Amino acid sequence: MKNIKDYNLEELKKEFMAIGEKPYRAEQVFKWLYTTDITTFDEMSNLSKELREKLKQEYSICEYKILKKQESSDGTKKYLFDVLDGNAIETVLMSYHHGYSICVSSQIGCKMGCKFCASTGIPFIRNLTSGEIIEQILAVQRDEKIKVSNIVFMGIGEPFDNYNNVINAIKIINNPKGLNIGARHISVSTSGIVPKIYEYADEDLQCTLSISLHATTNEKRSEMMPINNAYNIEELMKACDYYIKKTNKRISFEYALAKDNNESLEDAKKLVQLLKGMLCHVNLIPINKIENGKYTKSTNENIIKFRDYLNDNKITATIRRELGSDIDAACGQLRRKDLK
Ligand code: SAH
């Protein structure tokens, strides 16, 4: 059956017209789906019984059940959801002073193979549909009785390897009649699939783009991230320049600091050279050690030194707060480990 949450508002209107319904009916349904807690067509009380029956026959409403929920000592919550076909994904809820933020997964598994990331440890199964991406947000909101204000595409999967569904999900998240989360409060992080960075730049979205950089030489980056063999640092930077020119938006570069790997003064200098003059920001992430992983976290002292060097050299850098590491909910720790 078709998942009704796979359609953005324009598409849903077309679907409705195809079954002889007025477009404003689609808008009513859209509002029920994204601005209330309802999980059945029967609760859509401003629709006729006849239409509700018709919808029930055509569409599923895709309501996730929570397989497991864990809470960190810092308040971060991690959900394991059954995506209704026996597969499971993880979603993380973080609470900040400015509101709630959800980290969504975009795929079941990941093909990228980054050596430091736990999501690599599970086989790639399939892309999530846009409705399946969106339902992570709705299920968390229902469970916690909250409205979230920020979405980051930083869970399991490579968002640009599931490009169309991610863009469509963004349209639903961003629609004032849908989840109504402003584009500036939506971030997409990519390991660096260069052609998609160009495409994303041309979308004319106001979302934030994060790039997982992590190293400044091709040798080191390829060792950490196999994607660098397909698109090297030079190609990646060219795409970033294009993005900045096209959108006039700042890029956020993620750089996970690992001991004796990419944390030296030499590395910091190379990073300054690479990013000099670019409209950007560096997000330093203390690397989280994964099972059987060879990378371990830099010391706090080294992380601070690295940050200060960047800031002293006119590259704005901040250290990402580590949230949820005690429940394996921090960066790179998601892997649906409870399902064998
Ligand atoms: N697939 C996307 C989203 C990944 S998660 C991407 O690659 O960008 C968000 C960030 O966490 C990425 O920058 C990713 O490289 C980083 N990350 C992955 N594993 C990590 C780990 N063990 N410690 C710290 N950061 C990690």
Side-chain angles (χ1 to χ4, degrees):
M1 221 190 299
K2 299 189 273 190
N3 174 357
I4 195 148
K5 292 172 186 159
D6 280 340
Y7 300 91
N8 66 44
L9 183 54
E10 288 319 302
E11 292 168 342
L12 197 63
K13 284 181 181 171
K14 283 189 193 136
E15 285 278 307
F16 271 52
M17 289 192 299
I19 56 168
E21 293 293 334
K22 295 258 166 35
Y24 82 92
R25 290 286 178 205
E27 213 166 291
Q28 287 177 322
V29 169
F30 202 75
K31 275 194 189 152
W32 282 114
L33 292 174
Y34 303 115
T35 65
T36 76
D37 269 357
I38 64 109
T39 53
T40 62
F41 289 111
D42 282 331
E43 291 163 279
M44 300 183 178
S45 56
N46 55 359
L47 307 183
S48 68
K49 178 134 200 318
E50 190 195 342
L51 177 54
R52 280 183 265 151
E53 290 305 319
K54 205 149 79 174
L55 293 176
K56 268 194 257 178
Q57 276 168 18
E58 291 261 340
Y59 303 98
S60 77
I61 220 159
C62 178
E63 178 194 359
Y64 285 166
K65 295 280 181 297
I66 300 170
L67 292 175
K68 188 169 180 180
K69 179 179 174 184
Q70 288 165 275
E71 186 167 346
S72 156
S73 54
D74 63 32
T76 300
K77 289 165 190 169
K78 183 170 80 165
Y79 291 84
L80 185 74
F81 289 121
D82 175 357
V83 293
L84 309 176
D85 67 352
N87 286 304
I89 47 160
E90 290 185 328
T91 307
V92 179
L93 171 68
M94 294 159 286
S95 156
Y96 293 99
H97 59 273
H98 55 264
Y100 291 102
S101 188
I102 289 188
C103 176
V104 293
S105 294
S106 55
Q107 298 180 310
I108 305 174
C110 185
K111 294 184 217 156
M112 297 300 117
C114 299
K115 296 291 188 305
F116 46 85
C117 180
S119 300
T120 292
I122 49 173
F124 175 80
I125 296 177
R126 65 173 177 85
N127 284 332
L128 292 176
T129 69
S130 27
E132 289 174 324
I133 294 171
I134 296 284
E135 175 58 11
Q136 297 171 64
I137 305 168
L138 297 173
V140 171
Q141 291 196 153
R142 282 197 304 271
D143 178 59
E144 287 279 321
K145 302 190 173 49
I146 52 164
K147 169 88 177 85
V148 306
S149 48
N150 283 275
I151 304 295
V152 297
F153 283 82
M154 297 189 185
I156 300 168
E158 163 52 49
F160 282 0
D161 188 36
N162 182 17
Y163 187 83
N164 292 342
N165 292 345
V166 164
I167 296 296
N168 201 43
I170 289 175
K171 287 181 182 160
I172 298 169
I173 296 169
N174 187 222
N175 193 310
K177 289 174 178 147
L179 278 163
N180 191 21
I181 296 175
R184 286 181 182 77
H185 300 276
I186 304 169
S187 296
V188 179
S189 177
T190 180
S191 56
I193 303 193
V194 162
K196 296 296 174 195
I197 296 174
Y198 286 99
E199 218 174 311
Y200 187 71
D202 291 337
E203 296 281 351
D204 205 20
L205 294 166
Q206 291 298 312
C207 303
T208 303
L209 177 63
S210 294
I211 304 274
S212 297
L213 186 59
H214 304 318
T216 53
T217 64
N218 282 318
E219 194 190 351
K220 173 75 40 82
R221 193 163 186 269
S222 295
E223 198 181 294
M224 298 174 77
M225 308 175 70
I227 184 75
N228 196 67
N229 293 312
Y231 307 108
N232 65 23
I233 294 181
E234 291 72 33
E235 291 171 89
L236 179 61
M237 287 303 159
K238 239 180 159 171
C240 290
D241 283 336
Y242 177 84
Y243 175 87
I244 293 168
K245 257 202 209 99
K246 186 77 204 282
T247 64
N248 205 20
K249 284 185 65 72
R250 178 175 88 153
I251 288 184
S252 179
F253 287 101
E254 293 155 297
Y255 194 98
L257 285 159
K259 191 161 177 268
D260 298 330
N261 176 57
N262 58 355
E263 56 161 11
S264 69
L265 179 63
E266 199 49 40
D267 292 304
K269 278 186 182 159
K270 287 206 184 105
L271 190 56
V272 168
Q273 274 163 22
L274 193 65
L275 304 181
K276 210 165 38 193
M278 238 173 144
L279 185 60
C280 73
H281 167 265
V282 175
N283 214 218
L284 298 170
I285 317 174
I287 211 162
N288 291 298
K289 184 163 172 22
I290 56 163
E291 225 174 278
N292 303 321
K294 71 167 183 173
Y295 299 105
T296 53
K297 200 175 296 204
S298 299
T299 60
N300 281 344
E301 195 191 340
N302 280 357
I303 295 173
I304 289 168
K305 256 199 224 154
F306 201 94
R307 179 199 62 193
D308 291 347
Y309 183 85
L310 296 181
N311 283 331
D312 289 346
N313 287 278
K314 299 197 176 70
I315 305 284
T316 328
T318 50
I319 300 168
R320 184 178 288 176
R321 261 175 73 204
E322 273 181 283
L323 292 174
S325 55
D326 55 340
I327 53 165
D328 282 350
C331 296
Q333 295 187 309
L334 301 186
R335 59 165 300 172
R336 67 178 187 126
K337 64 153 74 167
D338 302 277
L339 291 191
K340 288 285 176 279

